[in-house]
Amino acid sequence: MLAQFLIHPPIQLGPIGPELVLTGTAIVVLLGAAFNPRIGHSTLLLVSLLGLAGAALVSIGLWDWGGELTVLAGMVATDRFAVVARLILLGIAAMGLVYGYHYFRRSGEARAEFYPLVLFATAGMTLIAAAADLILVFLALEILSLSLYVLTGISARLSSVEGSMKYFLLGAFSSAFFLYGVAMAYGATGSTRLSAIAHALAGQTGSLGLALAAVAFLGIGFGFKVAAVPFHMWTPDVYQGAPTPVTAFMAAGTKVAAFAALIRVLETSFQPLTLDWTPLVWTIAAVTVVAGSLIAIAQTDIKRMLAYSSIAHAGFVLIALTAAGQDGISAALFYLLAYALMVLGAFGVVMLVSARGEGRTSLASYAGLYRRSRLLAGLLTLFLLSLAGIPPTAGFIAKVNVFRAAVAAGHWPLVLVGVLASVVAAFFYIRVMVLMYMQEPQDDAEPDRSPWPRVAVAVPAVLTLLFGVFPGIVLGVLDKAAILRW
Amino acid sequence: MKTPISYFVVLSAVLFAIGSVGVLVRKNALVIFMSVELQLNAVNLALVAFSRLHGNLNGQVLAFFSMVVAAAEVVVGLAIIVNVYRRMHTANVDDASLLRW
């Protein structure tokens, strides 16, 4: 009698295996550090990295998932898009952990909470990439945001404290908009499941007005997270205030995760309204690339400059989104991969030049860097060339792919704006190179000469070159991953 | 006589707008945070109203989730604001101006 009321959907935990491994590792690290305060941070780092590796293995195992398209009552998608996004995010987290271990040990602020917080944030990021229900998108967004608010303020420096407050207040504000968008989508269609929303909108059974309001509100929420103009105000303050490894982790991770979710939401649930949201994305993309590139010129601090550059890069990914379909998604994925590599590398060099803490992040301290450390100057040059989109780097291939997809979709005016903005952006990247090679050092402060962090920074450099010269090795995989199944 | 669903939706929109204006014009971090909470509660009202409209429970379940998230946000948010107050002896967002271009 009772049994017939207890019909529940079959529970398949396989597709959320990576998140289970991540949260499990995070809890183990957290408890280990709590019960044994003398535990060495190298142990915590090692366990965390093992957890990331385990999550990556589980993700790769999901590449050939033969089961249902979504599991856990339509909450989690099992497609290859989620697998690729997860692998990129796990790599970003590994780099962030290695940077953080080194940075906090040198600055004397080593805290065990850093490792579990990064792991929890990563779990949120990977979950959002696979979320097939707006409830789960919202929850994963909050998991990653709440962890990042704390990570931003983990240092005792005043600017870190202030950055965390600004990030928190604006982040919570944007979450409210996002949730209101979810409520509107539910009001329009009677469901929060992405596939059900798409069916209701395609069959015109939903309310169009509410659905358009939902697109607008969700767009505001995502706009904050990916730092698109006009929702970018928090980005420079938070990127500058946060400790550099945290900045590297969140600049790369949040952007990849939020864009993965944005792509899935726009291309599945609101796919019937493509004609309505494309002009919106078009406009935001144009404003974002132009404003990001122009304001970056005026910056005197390298972290702020890279923050505005990351805003401009969000605009380039949005250009890819205007080209709906497999081409656009594949171009966006490659762009996100290339962006993650170069931003991780650039902030890694910034961390090493600062040597201890955040003392030397002004552009003036980069004068004559070539005299003091040829390796760091060379690495930063490579990352700046990639950010500017100059061959033979991954940034160049990424921009070409994005522009090609957008032109194929008929958005050539937007591509024109993008190309002009890249020319403007090249100015401030090249200005840093001029400072490094052609000016005398203003003081004799030594950059960090530890060997292992240099090896860590060299990893994104090698990959940037590799994907720039032989993009074919990943493009095939990304093309296969660019089909959303729902 | 039953109250039409649209009344609740309009009320929630009004509450949400009051919350947004509060975030934009108030200067005290705590008051800004309370305005955000007002926005979240406006969303909950809309969710419950839509749940009634569609005759399914998805909206009410989501309202529970949003309450849990709001509670978690209070924990993190108050800790951050208290941290700011201890370091700067003010919770006024205009005084936190170390990071400017």
Side-chain angles (χ1 to χ4, degrees):
Chain A
M1 183 64 193
L2 191 63
Q4 70 192 49
F5 293 107
L6 289 175
I7 303 163
H8 58 77
I11 293 175
Q12 292 175 291
L13 293 178
I16 56 162
E19 287 75 32
L20 293 178
V21 173
L22 282 174
T23 41
T25 315
I27 291 169
V28 166
V29 173
L30 192 63
L31 291 180
F35 285 110
N36 182 5
R38 292 166 175 279
I39 198 164
H41 281 217
S42 43
T43 317
L44 298 179
L45 175 73
L46 191 69
V47 174
S48 309
L49 287 179
L50 283 177
L52 289 175
L57 283 179
V58 178
S59 308
I60 293 170
L62 290 172
W63 179 262
D64 280 321
W65 173 263
E68 283 110 288
L69 301 180
T70 55
V71 295
L72 298 176
M75 281 279 171
V76 179
T78 56
D79 51 12
R80 290 174 174 180
F81 178 79
V83 174
V84 166
R86 273 183 182 132
L87 289 177
I88 298 175
L89 289 164
L90 292 171
I92 293 168
M95 292 295 295
L97 283 174
V98 173
Y99 284 179
Y101 171 72
H102 176 72
Y103 174 94
F104 289 114
R105 217 176 39 156
R106 260 187 98 89
S107 73
E109 290 185 311
R111 292 190 191 176
E113 303 94 285
F114 174 76
Y115 306 95
L117 279 170
V118 169
L119 290 175
F120 281 130
T122 312
M125 288 170 182
T126 55
L127 197 55
I128 202 175
D133 190 305
L134 286 175
I135 297 181
L136 194 62
V137 176
F138 175 68
L139 285 179
L141 200 65
E142 287 299 310
I143 294 172
L144 85 91
S145 302
L146 289 177
S147 313
L148 285 176
Y149 302 147
V150 181
L151 276 174
T152 305
I154 202 167
S155 159
R157 279 176 307 106
L158 212 50
S159 57
S160 166
V161 172
E162 184 184 322
S164 78
M165 181 178 77
K166 288 183 172 173
Y167 194 16
F168 168 72
L169 288 176
L170 288 171
F173 190 42
S174 77
S175 298
F177 276 93
F178 187 87
L179 192 59
Y180 205 51
V182 176
M184 291 289 154
Y186 172 64
T189 61
S191 176
T192 51
R193 203 177 291 183
L194 296 184
S195 55
I197 293 174
H199 285 307
L201 292 177
Q204 314 239 315
T205 52
S207 149
L208 187 63
L210 277 178
L212 290 176
V215 174
F217 279 108
L218 291 174
I220 295 174
F222 278 121
F224 264 100
K225 292 298 167 200
V226 303
V229 177
F231 315 110
H232 66 288
M233 297 82 69
W234 57 273
T235 317
D237 287 356
V238 173
Y239 282 18
Q240 189 188 0
T244 310
V246 174
T247 312
F249 171 62
M250 76 176 158
T254 321
K255 201 149 291 199
V256 174
F259 265 117
L262 179 61
I263 290 171
R264 193 185 287 281
V265 168
L266 285 183
E267 297 277 342
T268 62
S269 59
F270 294 104
Q271 199 255 341
L273 300 180
T274 304
L275 284 179
D276 296 296
W277 58 254
T278 304
L280 190 75
V281 175
W282 200 106
T283 316
I284 293 179
V287 176
T288 304
V289 286
V290 171
S293 306
L294 284 179
I295 307 177
I297 295 176
Q299 302 307 317
T300 54
D301 184 287
I302 191 144
K303 285 173 84 178
R304 280 188 97 78
M305 193 199 89
L306 288 172
Y308 278 106
S309 131
S310 91
I311 293 170
H313 284 283
F316 286 111
V317 185
L318 285 171
I319 291 181
L321 288 197
T322 60
Q326 196 187 353
D327 276 355
I329 298 176
S330 167
L333 272 179
F334 188 81
Y335 202 100
L336 289 171
L337 174 62
Y339 167 78
L341 289 173
M342 54 213 191
V343 83
L344 279 172
F347 277 115
V349 175
V350 169
M351 175 180 87
L352 293 181
V353 169
S354 264
R356 183 163 287 134
E358 306 282 321
R360 307 170 52 73
T361 58
S362 73
L363 280 182
S365 30
Y366 285 77
L369 181 64
Y370 177 70
R371 307 275 166 80
R372 282 181 273 142
S373 169
R374 293 187 182 187
L375 178 71
L376 288 184
L379 285 173
L380 189 56
T381 307
L382 175 70
F383 295 127
L384 291 174
L385 285 176
S386 186
L387 285 165
I390 294 167
T393 56
F396 170 70
I397 307 287
K399 276 209 174 71
V400 168
N401 274 341
V402 163
F403 290 157
R404 200 179 51 201
V407 167
H411 298 300
W412 65 266
L414 183 58
V415 171
L416 195 65
V417 173
V419 171
L420 290 176
S422 328
V423 174
V424 174
F427 167 75
F428 58 79
Y429 296 126
I430 291 171
R431 187 180 57 183
V432 178
M433 293 179 214
V434 170
L435 273 174
M436 286 194 299
Y437 289 100
M438 299 185 180
Q439 295 205 353
E440 292 298 317
Q442 293 181 342
D443 50 35
D444 52 357
E446 278 289 305
D448 190 343
R449 293 207 175 276
S450 332
W452 284 111
R454 292 176 169 228
V455 174
V457 178
V459 172
V462 170
L463 290 178
T464 302
L465 269 181
L466 189 67
F467 295 158
V469 182
F470 305 108
I473 46 182
V474 283
L475 277 178
V477 175
L478 295 185
D479 273 337
K480 279 184 203 146
I483 305 164
L484 298 169
R485 295 159 76 231
W486 41 288
Chain B
M1 193 184 117
K2 264 171 56 181
T3 319
I5 301 283
S6 58
Y7 284 25
F8 294 102
V9 178
V10 169
L11 176 63
S12 110
V14 170
L15 286 175
F16 192 84
I18 294 173
S20 309
V21 172
V23 172
L24 295 173
V25 303
R26 299 302 291 263
K27 298 295 173 205
N28 188 304
L30 277 174
V31 181
I32 292 177
F33 187 40
M34 281 162 60
S35 303
V36 171
E37 291 293 313
L38 181 61
Q39 286 183 297
L40 290 176
N41 284 321
V43 176
N44 285 348
L45 179 61
L47 283 170
V48 174
F50 284 136
S51 190
R52 171 107 192 180
L53 175 73
H54 291 297
N56 63 28
L57 288 178
N58 290 10
Q60 297 191 20
V61 172
L62 181 47
F64 274 115
F65 274 114
S66 101
M67 277 190 250
V68 172
V69 166
E73 239 173 30
V74 169
V75 172
V76 171
L78 285 186
I80 288 174
I81 294 172
V82 166
N83 194 15
V84 167
Y85 187 79
R86 274 203 200 138
R87 297 296 307 278
M88 302 185 176
H89 302 288
T90 171
N92 187 325
V93 288
D94 281 356
D95 293 341
S97 55
L98 208 61
L99 301 163
R100 281 274 166 87
W101 68 320

